Amino acid sequence: MPSGRKRSESSRQAILEATRSLLLEVGYERLTIDQIAARAGVGKQTIYRWWASKGEVVADAALDDGVTPHPVALPDTGAIRADLQTWLRQWVTDITTPEGTGLILALTAAGSDNKTLADRLYTQFSAPHEDRIRDRLRRAQSEGQLRADADLESIASTLVGALLYRVLGRNRPPTTQDADHLVELVLRGAEA
Amino acid sequence: MPSGRKRSESSRQAILEATRSLLLEVGYERLTIDQIAARAGVGKQTIYRWWASKGEVVADAALDDGVTPHPVALPDTGAIRADLQTWLRQWVTDITTPEGTGLILALTAAGSDNKTLADRLYTQFSAPHEDRIRDRLRRAQSEGQLRADADLESIASTLVGALLYRVLGRNRPPTTQDADHLVELVLRGAEA
Amino acid sequence: MPSGRKRSESSRQAILEATRSLLLEVGYERLTIDQIAARAGVGKQTIYRWWASKGEVVADAALDDGVTPHPVALPDTGAIRADLQTWLRQWVTDITTPEGTGLILALTAAGSDNKTLADRLYTQFSAPHEDRIRDRLRRAQSEGQLRADADLESIASTLVGALLYRVLGRNRPPTTQDADHLVELVLRGAEA
Amino acid sequence: MPSGRKRSESSRQAILEATRSLLLEVGYERLTIDQIAARAGVGKQTIYRWWASKGEVVADAALDDGVTPHPVALPDTGAIRADLQTWLRQWVTDITTPEGTGLILALTAAGSDNKTLADRLYTQFSAPHEDRIRDRLRRAQSEGQLRADADLESIASTLVGALLYRVLGRNRPPTTQDADHLVELVLRGAEA
DNA sequence: CTATAAACGAGACGGTACGTCACGTCTTGGG
DNA sequence: CCCAAGACGTGACGTACCGTCTCGTTTATAG
């Protein structure tokens, strides 16, 4: 029977919020646990008690934030190309804001350092996007809009990867127009 | 007129070599200047004298390494799809070795932290690849293998981005087959 | 009229016993409340509820232990020198055991830090010894064995102090023979 | 051939001076390495590089201070009792100042915790006093002022121990008069 | 026979200090 | 002027304890 004081939800929130704000101010590499604790008004041990590393805190901070995993399902108006464009345009807008780009850079750095964390970040951040796209593609395929032999996994992965690559490159962040072109490029050959 | 002792080439080499080996052993984040100096048998000052930051050393270490920027030009047998596949298959093989993946992860982490460095890395590492692909595509276009309105920049960027995305994701590193499929996917709609 | 649960005697005992054993294992400085609580199987609050500081717990642990304040009265065979020697020999034996020395070192450290505690320790630990010696000396004086102008306080304090000094010094712990010599030294000039 | 930067004498001095002042302000137990470093304007590592523990720093701080080991030799006017009294009176005055008492309490606490340190403190602090006293006693003995069988070691140790005991007890710090009485007490039986 | 109130074991909390590591700079002595 | 060595002030690391504060749970008295 577990006794003892319960985990403080307010501390948990304060830590994640402090992490998010510091991430935008100083970036992942210069982010320190000391800073997070100080800004959150929390003892360092309270962070170490519940998270194994800076990367874990950052991951939770990003994923806890409603914005990032962007749970919006793809629209289904019947026109696959338009629906994909609508959705990707919105996603590009989100990830090219300072907040969005900052979180992506932070999560990438975090994942670079830690395979376990990289897996978790892929599963919770990238995979849901790919899944949503693939599901919508599958519907289109069953409706005969896409060829039966189109590699839907590959299309979804390429769409997400190509845009993230431009965000990570930093000098040519993707635009909504880029999103449109990209959809055209990869769909052209897949359409029936 | 410069007097005094000349810069030691052997120290420079030792530093870059030590950096490369440590990068594979401990990764970018846990790499330290102290370690590099110790392994290279070099004073720390000698590192700080010639490089501004850990990221710069890592960038030089990676780019100095013949393997990574992979200076091989694309073949030109006349068949654009086959040539692209040949080249990309080789590149995928290179970047999915432990050394290749390690360096890419390190460079990504380094670039996440530093916009200036990110630009340099893009210019010296990614851009040459995109350029080579785009040049070959252009030739194919002028030969009438590709449609006149195909967005060659976009194709090149997508090919590179989609594969790097899979390397960074770590759980599904790209295979030579993936490279083939990817070329098919993006070329299908661009071919005349 | 107080209601509610009574103080747990078993917890009190467990705390003092845990304190004694830990004191011998790690010494006063490395002794922690957390350790005591863990070994005693007790919540930390139960310690803080009843004791104000580590020093207080240690003092109670030492004084609760029958051994230390050694309540044995001095014998009175009529021969002051022999009686003193008998008693001091026993005391030296007690305080040079590992347990005895450990407690004295702990109490000394505790008293060094805290004037209030130092007073209490003196009153409950040293003073009773001096008092017993002085009372026996007084009897001897009234019997004419000691000169009327002998400074009995001073003699008692010197006997106790000289032996404790050797215990604290650690490299030359006093022997029963030392006790004999000491009695001879200070009594020789005081005897009638 | 040892190269590299030399140890900073100014840092060493600043550390010992900071330690002395903090010792008087907060006492041994509440003294922290962080505090010492901050007040001395020094990095913590500079302390840990040269001293193994808080106790070592305190010992050096005390012994480096000219006051404490009080290198004054005993006078030799020919009258052993008067010479001893003169010297002990001065010593009592020194060790009953706030500074003197503070250092003694600190050194006692330090020695309680660490046998090695206790030995060093005895050797460098107490032993020199006992030695000086014993040497003077020996001279007196050879001049026939003291009995040939007087235990000079024991006398010296008793004088030092009895006075330090009163300092440690805190409630009855020794006076110059106490010093006089003590000399009388232990010499009376030893004089020829 | 219940309330209710205090003490209990447990353990999370905001903090302070620990001793270590790495930073980037400075000093030393030697090419 | 460069170099290897290495001490320096700074600051973050992750851990250990501090003394306080909830949490149920247990044990006594009071109604």
Side-chain angles (χ1 to χ4, degrees):
Chain A
M1 56 226 69
S3 96
R5 188 172 175 173
K6 294 289 172 57
R7 175 173 185 179
S8 162
E9 175 60 16
S10 68
S11 289
R12 187 185 146 274
Q13 298 271 3
I15 289 164
L16 297 181
E17 183 51 38
T19 301
R20 276 190 291 270
S21 65
L22 283 166
L23 221 37
L24 294 177
E25 292 172 25
V26 305
Y28 178 76
E29 202 134 45
R30 268 172 294 279
L31 178 69
T32 69
I33 300 283
D34 278 16
Q35 278 179 311
I36 297 173
R39 178 164 301 189
V42 136
K44 283 201 290 177
Q45 197 68 63
T46 300
I47 300 179
Y48 286 111
R49 210 188 324 269
W50 303 109
W51 288 277
S53 67
K54 182 171 75 165
E56 301 279 348
V57 185
V58 168
D60 272 12
L63 295 168
D64 166 89
D65 185 0
V67 170
T68 321
H70 160 85
V72 178
L74 271 78
D76 187 351
T77 66
I80 178 63
R81 189 185 290 205
D83 286 354
L84 264 183
Q85 286 176 336
T86 300
W87 191 86
L88 277 187
R89 252 185 250 129
Q90 180 59 49
W91 190 53
V92 162
T93 302
D94 288 349
I95 65 182
T96 53
T97 59
E99 292 75 21
T101 299
L103 286 179
I104 286 174
L105 290 171
L107 296 178
T108 306
S112 299
D113 180 48
N114 183 325
K115 173 83 171 94
T116 307
L117 190 52
D119 285 347
R120 191 184 145 212
L121 288 171
Y122 174 74
T123 303
Q124 302 194 356
F125 178 78
S126 299
H129 291 66
E130 294 189 38
D131 290 349
R132 273 192 277 268
I133 293 171
R134 195 201 49 228
D135 290 349
R136 181 64 188 81
L137 289 170
R138 183 145 34 231
R139 223 150 39 232
Q141 193 176 40
S142 71
E143 291 168 2
Q145 295 186 53
L146 298 181
R147 298 196 341 222
D149 66 342
D151 184 346
L152 308 187
E153 294 276 359
S154 195
I155 296 174
S157 165
T158 299
L159 290 173
V160 170
L163 292 173
L164 284 178
Y165 169 65
R166 298 271 296 262
V167 171
L168 292 174
R170 301 240 232 142
N171 46 0
R172 302 165 309 156
T175 63
T176 52
Q177 215 179 5
D178 288 328
D180 287 352
H181 288 163
L182 184 61
V183 170
E184 259 187 66
L185 178 67
V186 299
L187 278 202
R188 198 193 293 267
E191 285 171 322
Chain B
M1 51 233 70
S3 93
R5 188 171 174 176
K6 292 288 174 53
R7 174 171 185 180
S8 160
E9 175 61 15
S10 68
S11 288
R12 185 184 149 275
Q13 297 273 3
I15 289 164
L16 297 181
E17 182 50 37
T19 301
R20 274 191 292 271
S21 66
L22 283 166
L23 221 37
L24 293 177
E25 292 173 25
V26 304
Y28 178 76
E29 202 134 47
R30 268 173 293 281
L31 178 70
T32 69
I33 300 284
D34 279 18
Q35 276 180 312
I36 297 173
R39 177 164 301 189
V42 134
K44 285 201 293 175
Q45 198 61 256
T46 300
I47 300 179
Y48 286 111
R49 212 190 320 274
W50 305 108
W51 288 276
S53 67
K54 182 171 75 166
E56 301 280 347
V57 184
V58 168
D60 273 13
L63 295 168
D64 168 89
D65 185 3
V67 172
T68 321
H70 166 82
V72 178
L74 271 78
D76 188 350
T77 66
I80 179 63
R81 188 185 290 208
D83 287 353
L84 263 183
Q85 286 176 335
T86 301
W87 191 87
L88 277 185
R89 254 186 246 127
Q90 181 58 48
W91 189 53
V92 162
T93 302
D94 289 348
I95 65 180
T96 52
T97 59
E99 292 75 19
T101 298
L103 285 179
I104 286 174
L105 290 172
L107 296 177
T108 305
S112 298
D113 180 47
N114 184 326
K115 174 83 171 92
T116 307
L117 190 53
D119 284 347
R120 188 183 149 214
L121 288 171
Y122 175 74
T123 303
Q124 302 194 356
F125 179 78
S126 298
H129 291 67
E130 295 189 38
D131 290 349
R132 273 192 277 268
I133 294 171
R134 196 200 49 227
D135 291 348
R136 181 66 188 82
L137 289 171
R138 189 150 26 236
R139 226 154 30 239
Q141 194 176 41
S142 70
E143 292 168 2
Q145 293 187 52
L146 299 181
R147 298 197 339 224
D149 66 342
D151 183 347
L152 307 187
E153 294 277 357
S154 196
I155 295 174
S157 165
T158 298
L159 289 172
V160 171
L163 291 172
L164 284 179
Y165 170 66
R166 298 270 298 258
V167 171
L168 292 175
R170 303 239 228 144
N171 46 0
R172 302 165 309 157
T175 63
T176 53
Q177 215 180 5
D178 289 326
D180 288 351
H181 287 165
L182 184 61
V183 170
E184 257 186 69
L185 178 67
V186 299
L187 279 200
R188 197 193 293 267
E191 285 172 320
Chain C
M1 47 233 71
S3 94
R5 190 172 175 175
K6 291 288 177 54
R7 174 171 185 181
S8 161
E9 176 60 17
S10 68
S11 289
R12 186 185 147 275
Q13 298 272 4
I15 289 164
L16 297 180
E17 182 51 37
T19 300
R20 274 191 291 271
S21 65
L22 283 167
L23 221 37
L24 293 178
E25 293 172 24
V26 304
Y28 179 76
E29 202 134 48
R30 268 173 293 281
L31 178 69
T32 69
I33 300 284
D34 279 19
Q35 277 179 311
I36 297 173
R39 178 164 301 189
V42 136
K44 285 201 292 176
Q45 198 64 254
T46 301
I47 300 178
Y48 286 109
R49 213 190 321 272
W50 304 109
W51 288 277
S53 68
K54 181 171 76 165
E56 301 281 347
V57 184
V58 168
D60 272 13
L63 295 168
D64 167 88
D65 185 3
V67 171
T68 321
H70 164 84
V72 179
L74 272 75
D76 188 350
T77 66
I80 179 63
R81 188 184 290 207
D83 286 354
L84 264 183
Q85 286 176 335
T86 301
W87 191 86
L88 277 185
R89 253 187 247 125
Q90 180 58 48
W91 190 54
V92 162
T93 302
D94 289 348
I95 65 181
T96 52
T97 59
E99 291 76 19
T101 297
L103 286 179
I104 286 174
L105 290 172
L107 296 177
T108 305
S112 298
D113 180 48
N114 184 326
K115 174 84 171 92
T116 308
L117 189 53
D119 285 347
R120 188 183 149 212
L121 289 170
Y122 175 74
T123 304
Q124 301 194 356
F125 179 78
S126 298
H129 292 65
E130 294 189 40
D131 291 349
R132 274 192 277 268
I133 294 171
R134 195 201 48 230
D135 290 349
R136 180 66 188 80
L137 288 171
R138 184 145 34 234
R139 227 153 32 237
Q141 193 176 40
S142 70
E143 291 167 3
Q145 294 186 55
L146 298 181
R147 299 201 335 229
D149 66 343
D151 183 347
L152 307 186
E153 294 277 358
S154 195
I155 295 173
S157 164
T158 298
L159 290 172
V160 171
L163 291 173
L164 283 179
Y165 169 66
R166 298 271 297 261
V167 171
L168 291 175
R170 304 241 227 139
N171 47 357
R172 302 164 309 154
T175 63
T176 54
Q177 214 180 6
D178 289 327
D180 288 352
H181 287 165
L182 184 61
V183 169
E184 258 186 68
L185 177 68
V186 298
L187 277 202
R188 198 193 294 268
E191 287 171 320
Chain D
M1 54 226 71
S3 96
R5 188 173 176 172
K6 294 286 173 55
R7 176 173 184 180
S8 162
E9 175 61 16
S10 68
S11 289
R12 187 186 146 272
Q13 298 271 2
I15 289 163
L16 297 180
E17 182 51 38
T19 301
R20 276 192 290 271
S21 65
L22 283 166
L23 221 37
L24 295 177
E25 293 172 25
V26 305
Y28 179 76
E29 202 133 47
R30 266 171 296 279
L31 178 69
T32 69
I33 301 283
D34 278 17
Q35 277 180 311
I36 297 173
R39 179 165 301 190
V42 136
K44 282 200 291 177
Q45 196 68 57
T46 301
I47 300 179
Y48 287 111
R49 210 189 323 272
W50 304 109
W51 288 278
S53 67
K54 183 171 75 164
E56 301 279 348
V57 185
V58 168
D60 272 12
L63 295 167
D64 167 89
D65 185 2
V67 171
T68 322
H70 165 82
V72 179
L74 271 77
D76 187 349
T77 65
I80 178 63
R81 187 185 292 204
D83 286 354
L84 263 183
Q85 286 176 335
T86 301
W87 191 86
L88 277 186
R89 252 186 249 127
Q90 180 58 48
W91 190 53
V92 162
T93 302
D94 289 349
I95 64 181
T96 52
T97 59
E99 291 76 20
T101 298
L103 286 179
I104 287 174
L105 290 171
L107 296 177
T108 305
S112 299
D113 180 48
N114 183 326
K115 173 83 171 93
T116 307
L117 189 53
D119 285 347
R120 191 184 146 212
L121 289 171
Y122 174 74
T123 304
Q124 301 195 356
F125 179 78
S126 298
H129 291 68
E130 294 189 39
D131 289 348
R132 273 192 275 270
I133 293 171
R134 196 200 50 228
D135 290 349
R136 180 66 188 80
L137 290 170
R138 182 140 41 227
R139 224 150 39 235
Q141 194 176 40
S142 71
E143 291 168 2
Q145 294 186 54
L146 299 181
R147 301 198 335 225
D149 66 342
D151 183 348
L152 307 186
E153 294 277 358
S154 195
I155 295 174
S157 166
T158 299
L159 289 173
V160 170
L163 291 173
L164 283 179
Y165 169 66
R166 299 269 298 258
V167 171
L168 291 175
R170 303 241 230 139
N171 46 359
R172 303 164 310 155
T175 63
T176 53
Q177 215 181 4
D178 289 328
D180 287 353
H181 287 165
L182 184 62
V183 170
E184 259 187 66
L185 178 67
V186 298
L187 278 201
R188 197 193 293 267
E191 285 172 320

